[in-house]
Amino acid sequence: MKGTSPVQDRTKHRGFQRVFAPRQLTVGLILPIESYRGAVPTMQNHATLAQRAEQLGFAALWVRDVPLHVPNFGDVGQIFDPWVYLGYLAAQTESITLATGSTILPLRHPLHLAKSAASVDQLSHGRLVLGIASGDRPIEFPAFGIDFNSRGNRFQETLSFFRQVLEERFPTINSSLGTMHDIDLLPKPLSSQIPAIVTGYSRQSLEWIAANADGWLYYLLDSSTQVRVIEQWHTLTEKHAPRVFKPFAQGFNLDLAKNPDMKPIRIHSGVRLGRNWLSGYLENQQQAGVSHVAFNLKYGSRPADDVIDELGEYILPRFGAHPQ
């Protein structure tokens, strides 16, 4: 499979720089900012909590792309369409990075995606980072008339089309997803580019991701596996994009215990622990080469506002957003 485009450095982007920097780690939140049971959140006070997260110094808000309610997956994200919601959040906040975590490329036409992404990027003054994935809910694909088994190739084609239409003026495109000649798409992103962070493997090889993505977002791993994976990532990114910083990020469920000294206990796709252990964990992750950790509070045992206030007081002074 071919790459999407020649290696480019998209790290000068405002939203990217708030979240990612070499040898430093920041913390973000996966929306909704809420601890709840079942598949559907209440979305109560969500704008106020997003604003509070910005004030406290969280680096990013990550918005889910879950187009349909699939009961056996038990999670519909923040319910709202990610692009409508990101536009709303852009108007409610001023500096926090707005990210997709992650938009499902095979289920979106690249022109619609590019129009939405560039619009949010302009309206937020350059704060959008695009997390991308191939999709993991097979039942959704027939609803869109798309073959689930085609998602790997379609992921590549969509990313290539998306980048070309945003980064070129009046591009010539001949793709199975559409053709363009003598027409253009507006608006363009504020800095002419939008960073794309691949989630998981998205049906690609790690070598392809290192060559074509602007970063990699992965899940919670044991410490030995984490070190090995990050070393492999940095080796491959240096091979394919020398001197271009491509961060490794991590997302997982967090249940912050009230006891600050509670030792870690694994929960569904995450961990329950006290803040003192969390601080040590983040220090270790930073040393291992992790640039950003995004917390999902869905499975928390405490109110989300209490948790983000505690993180703001004790964790963010060390792992808050980068100054701009």
Side-chain angles (χ1 to χ4, degrees), residues 282-293:
L282 294 175
E283 288 282 0
N284 291 336
Q285 295 307 292
Q286 180 173 265
Q287 292 176 13
V290 179
S291 296
H292 180 72
V293 174

Side-chain angles (χ1 to χ4, degrees), residues 62-321:
W62 295 82
V63 172
R64 303 280 301 282
D65 184 10
V66 185
L68 299 172
H69 180 195
V70 182
N72 64 344
F73 271 82
D75 182 8
V76 297
Q78 76 284 329
I79 304 175
F80 301 127
D81 174 85
W83 298 106
V84 174
Y85 192 46
L86 285 167
Y88 174 79
L89 290 174
Q92 299 294 320
T93 57
E94 296 180 357
S95 60
I96 196 166
T97 292
L98 304 175
T100 58
S102 294
T103 192
I104 309 304
L105 289 195
L107 296 183
R108 294 186 176 272
H109 191 279
L111 283 175
H112 289 143
L113 180 63
K115 186 86 172 182
S116 297
S119 297
V120 169
D121 191 71
Q122 284 277 354
L123 293 169
S124 68
H125 304 290
R127 290 189 279 141
L128 178 68
V129 169
L130 192 72
I132 55 177
S134 61
D136 60 359
R137 305 186 184 200
I139 197 171
E140 290 180 331
F141 282 71
F144 289 89
I146 296 171
D147 178 12
F148 182 68
N149 293 323
S150 73
R151 67 195 188 282
N153 288 334
R154 195 177 180 96
F155 177 93
Q156 287 195 14
E157 281 196 86
T158 301
L159 180 58
S160 177
F161 198 131
F162 169 85
R163 281 179 167 167
Q164 191 173 354
V165 78
L166 287 185
E167 297 176 8
E168 297 179 17
R169 301 286 179 180
F170 292 92
T172 297
I173 299 175
N174 294 288
S175 164
S176 66
L177 301 177
T179 60
M180 290 184 65
H181 304 280
D182 302 319
I183 52 177
D184 200 9
L185 182 134
L186 295 175
K188 302 295 185 185
L190 201 62
S191 63
S192 80
Q193 300 172 332
I194 295 177
I197 312 296
V198 171
T199 301
Y201 285 94
S202 293
R203 308 296 293 177
Q204 313 301 321
S205 69
L206 187 56
E207 184 130 12
W208 187 94
I209 298 170
N212 293 281
D214 301 305
W216 189 27
L217 176 65
Y218 207 72
Y219 313 105
L220 187 64
L221 295 167
D222 65 81
S223 57
S224 60
T225 303
Q226 179 102 315
V227 169
R228 176 178 54 79
V229 167
I230 294 174
E231 288 178 350
Q232 185 182 13
W233 168 249
H234 289 312
T235 297
L236 288 172
T237 56
E238 180 60 27
K239 171 186 173 182
H240 290 283
R243 297 176 297 282
V244 175
F245 170 59
K246 295 192 176 190
F248 178 93
Q250 187 180 60
F252 61 85
N253 295 321
L254 173 69
D255 181 6
L256 187 68
K258 195 166 185 179
N259 176 2
D261 294 317
M262 180 177 175
K263 295 181 179 180
I265 299 174
R266 288 298 293 263
I267 61 173
H268 173 67
S269 299
V271 64
R272 183 170 193 259
L273 76 176
R275 66 170 182 260
N276 292 332
W277 283 88
L278 177 61
S279 180
Y281 172 81
L282 294 175
E283 288 282 0
N284 291 336
Q285 295 307 292
Q286 180 173 265
Q287 292 176 13
V290 179
S291 296
H292 180 72
V293 174
F295 295 134
N296 187 340
L297 304 182
K298 179 185 188 311
Y299 295 95
S301 55
R302 298 169 58 194
D305 53 349
D306 289 350
V307 172
I308 66 171
D309 281 347
E310 185 170 334
L311 293 173
E313 182 175 359
Y314 295 100
I315 300 298
L316 295 186
R318 179 69 181 86
F319 302 108

Side-chain angles (χ1 to χ4, degrees), residues 37-53:
R37 297 295 176 262
V40 183
T42 69
M43 299 302 294
Q44 292 180 356
N45 303 318
H46 58 107
T48 300
L49 288 170
Q51 292 166 343
R52 180 61 177 156

